[in-house]
Amino acid sequence: MRRPPPPGHVRAGLVCLLLIVVGSYLGFTKRLPWADDWEVHAVVADAQELGKGSKVRIAGVDVGSVKGVRRGPAGTSIVTMAIADAGRPLHEDATLTLRPRLFLEGNFFVDVRPGSPSAPRLREGATIPLGQTASAVRIDSV
């Protein structure tokens, strides 16, 4: 008759399993589950094919993602973006452009220019106005 493993081995196995699960979660998400996103909004004339999960980049570096796109006033769209610590601070004169990620594929990303350091910092939840946003020209519009 076979004896069950000693309690110390069971505990060690459970601890190892827990460490593997936590390590895998942090390895894939690269963030803590209780960390809040720093959100900022932008009014754009045409959200094109921008959708939830699209990348937000500063100088080609991913600094966040689009959390949502909703209809705005007068035929515009309001884009909500979650910006990581690496993408902050943004200033009140920040500008953004919606650009295609790959030529003719239709994936778009938000290209942000953070603004000049002499301008006041943008607070969380603030909105970048329509005059500071632009959209790339699509091939079918040429």
Side-chain angles (χ1 to χ4, degrees), residues 42 44 48 50 54-66 79 81 83 87 90 93-101 107-115 128 132-136:
V44 296
Q48 299 179 7
L50 193 69
S54 295
K55 300 292 184 189
V56 176
R57 295 180 178 169
I58 295 178
V61 177
D62 292 344
V63 295
S65 64
V66 173
V79 179
M81 300 169 286
I83 308 293
L90 295 179
D93 61 346
T95 60
L96 62 88
T97 306
L98 304 182
R99 298 191 185 277
R101 194 173 70 92
N107 291 335
F108 282 81
F109 71 94
V110 181
D111 185 19
V112 177
R113 294 186 184 262
I128 298 172
Q132 292 172 221
T133 64
S135 298

Side-chain angles (χ1 to χ4, degrees), residues 3 19 25 31 41 48 57 83 97 115:
R3 290 186 293 160
L19 289 175
Y25 175 81
R31 59 176 294 156
H41 309 282
Q48 299 179 7
R57 295 180 178 169
I83 308 293
T97 306

